[in-house]
Amino acid sequence: HGGACGSAAPPAVTVQFRWGVQTFLRTETLQCERHVYQARGTLDGKGGLFLRYSSEREGGSWELGSPSGGCLYYMVSSARSPGELIGSHPWSRAAGGGVCNLILMQSAETESGGWIDPMLLAFDR
């Protein structure tokens, strides 16, 4: 079905790492015909984290990384968008091997145009 790219790619996703949560916003940039997602913040002063698709590893994988450190985690998948990766999945560490479970959640848009991490919604009662 044509045109599924726009509807299948959520406008924002949140990733829960062991050290905290990070929200990634969909950009208009495409890589391997898939949207690149970019985090607003910058942890190391060298640009925010990215979530993007790469065809370089095992036939294709989604990668979490930074401009300075490159790919940090990856998950081999042919998913068209992070929307298909929602939930807890094992991601491989790019350096040193090993696996860690990362949780992807679809982010909720606020009336002010910002984004709320789904975890925070639970505490806002």
Side-chain angles (χ1 to χ4, degrees):
H1 39 251
C5 181
S7 61
V13 294
T14 299
V15 178
Q16 182 180 347
F17 297 93
R18 280 203 284 203
W19 43 263
V21 295
Q22 182 75 64
T23 298
F24 294 81
L25 302 180
R26 187 182 67 210
T27 68
E28 294 307 309
T29 305
L30 294 176
Q31 183 164 308
C32 300
E33 300 176 1
R34 292 161 173 88
H35 284 279
V36 172
Y37 286 72
Q38 187 76 38
R40 268 202 199 119
T42 165
L43 297 172
D44 57 5
K46 301 176 182 173
L49 296 173
F50 59 72
L51 171 62
R52 67 184 182 198
Y53 194 83
S54 170
S55 59
E56 295 174 14
R57 183 181 281 111
E58 299 179 41
S61 63
W62 281 91
E63 297 181 343
L64 284 159
S66 69
S68 58
C71 176
L72 303 172
Y73 303 98
Y74 67 91
M75 187 169 105
V76 175
S77 168
S78 60
R80 299 297 303 166
S81 88
E84 298 177 45
L85 307 177
I86 299 296
S88 177
H89 299 285
W91 288 66
S92 302
R93 285 189 184 88
V99 170
C100 67
N101 279 317
L102 300 179
I103 301 172
L104 258 73
M105 301 165 277
Q106 188 156 344
S107 301
E109 190 170 9
T110 65
E111 292 177 10
S112 64
W115 296 93
I116 296 178
D117 295 332
M119 302 268 304
L120 299 179
L121 287 174
F123 296 116
D124 193 29
R125 300 209 183 284

